[in-house]
Amino acid sequence: QVQLVESGGGSVKAGDSLRLSCAASGGTFIDYAVAWFRQAPGKEREFVAAISWRGETTYYSPSVEGRFTISRDNAKNIGYLQMYSLKPEDTAAYYCAADKFRLRRTEQTYDYWGQGTVVVVPS
């Protein structure tokens, strides 16, 4: 089964950009659809973006569409979340998730999760 490790979080100013990475090991990366979720302090975890196995299909939450881009490099076993024009409301722990058979916006879909990386955008 696949293991996922996120990296790239940090504290940035509003309007800045940041790229998160999700490194996969222990499985064949192209076998998994990949998604990003986030959880802000005191709130439930929410869907951010998802990408299909070969990257031809992507989904975004309305709150990030046009500002965030999800991508993957199957040769390197890495998924990415490029974030532009960051806002204070983007402050959250960001989680990478993967599933072999489904590509959906619901967290219950995904069987494999990373430990998260924190993004802080002070107001």
Side-chain angles (χ1 to χ4, degrees):
Q1 61 186 32
V2 68
Q3 291 85 46
L4 305 172
V5 178
E6 303 93 333
S7 62
S11 181
V12 297
K13 297 180 296 184
D16 282 356
S17 300
L18 202 60
R19 188 177 76 165
L20 306 183
S21 298
C22 172
S25 62
T28 304
F29 191 53
I30 199 172
D31 287 348
Y32 297 85
V34 173
W36 288 90
F37 290 80
R38 68 185 181 185
Q39 187 167 21
K43 296 188 177 181
E44 293 186 353
R45 190 152 55 184
E46 64 174 1
F47 171 77
V48 176
I51 188 166
S52 60
W53 296 256
R54 296 185 182 275
E56 69 275 19
T57 301
T58 56
Y59 298 135
Y60 293 94
S61 164
S63 63
V64 307
E65 186 149 24
R67 298 190 299 121
F68 290 12
T69 301
I70 189 171
S71 63
R72 62 190 298 160
D73 186 334
N74 288 333
K76 295 182 179 179
N77 294 341
I78 300 178
Y80 300 102
L81 184 69
Q82 178 68 56
M83 306 184 292
Y84 299 100
S85 302
L86 282 161
K87 304 176 181 180
E89 50 264 44
D90 295 318
T91 294
Y94 284 73
Y95 298 90
C96 175
D99 190 82
K100 268 199 168 186
F101 304 109
R102 294 161 293 188
L103 176 67
R104 295 180 183 170
R105 294 174 174 87
T106 53
E107 64 175 292
Q108 292 82 359
T109 295
Y110 296 89
D111 289 333
Y112 305 101
W113 291 81
Q115 82 293 343
T117 187
V118 176
V119 174
V120 177
V121 187
S123 56

